[in-house]
Amino acid sequence: MRYEGSCHCGKIAFEVEGEFAEAIDCNCSLCRRRGGLLAFVARDKLTLTTPETDLSTYVFNKHVIQHRFCDTCGIAPFGEGDGPHGKMAAINLRCLPEFDIEAVKVVKYDGRSV
């Protein structure tokens, strides 16, 4: 299914293709503070509909994930990095207005132990 997503103010907008049956609730120091629910897709399933230059990036710990966020409203709609099968995107399902959060199985993940 194709979803439209964005940050709160709309400066960062995108489309993503995926079937999201499960989301990760990570408790690493960043995810715990921002409260996102993450689902993973191949990076080529995510298409920006706003300029890439509007993305701000934050990296921490091992610097392997580019946490993308809006420098206007502060919302982090997705992250990017290398996965076991190539480039991946971690979509914050809370940034997909039409997605039914109640329909997804939430899996706890201990990001602090990685």
Side-chain angles (χ1 to χ4, degrees):
M1 185 163 199
R2 189 165 207 72
Y3 295 96
E4 293 181 1
S6 69
C7 63
H8 188 258
C9 72
K11 182 177 179 182
I12 297 172
F14 60 95
E15 293 179 346
V16 64
E17 182 77 32
E19 296 296 326
F20 304 118
E22 189 172 282
I24 292 178
D25 178 11
C26 178
N27 69 345
C28 78
S29 59
L30 181 63
C31 291
R32 181 179 167 137
R33 285 169 174 81
R34 71 178 177 194
L37 291 177
L38 304 176
F40 295 84
V41 297
R43 178 57 182 88
D44 64 359
K45 300 293 183 187
L46 174 84
T47 304
L48 282 174
T49 57
T50 52
E52 188 169 348
T53 55
D54 287 348
L55 293 172
S56 290
T57 303
Y58 177 71
V59 294
F60 73 106
N61 195 8
K62 297 179 183 177
H63 293 216
V64 296
I65 300 172
Q66 296 176 323
H67 300 273
R68 304 299 199 157
F69 69 97
C70 174
D71 66 0
T72 299
C73 67
I75 299 299
F78 64 93
E80 300 175 274
D82 292 327
H85 305 292
K87 299 286 183 191
M88 300 294 292
I91 309 301
N92 181 353
L93 296 178
R94 294 187 189 278
C95 291
L96 306 178
E98 300 300 317
F99 184 77
D100 181 8
I101 294 289
E102 300 299 319
V104 71
K105 176 184 176 188
V106 176
V107 177
K108 301 287 184 183
Y109 178 77
D110 187 1
R112 292 179 293 189
S113 67
V114 176

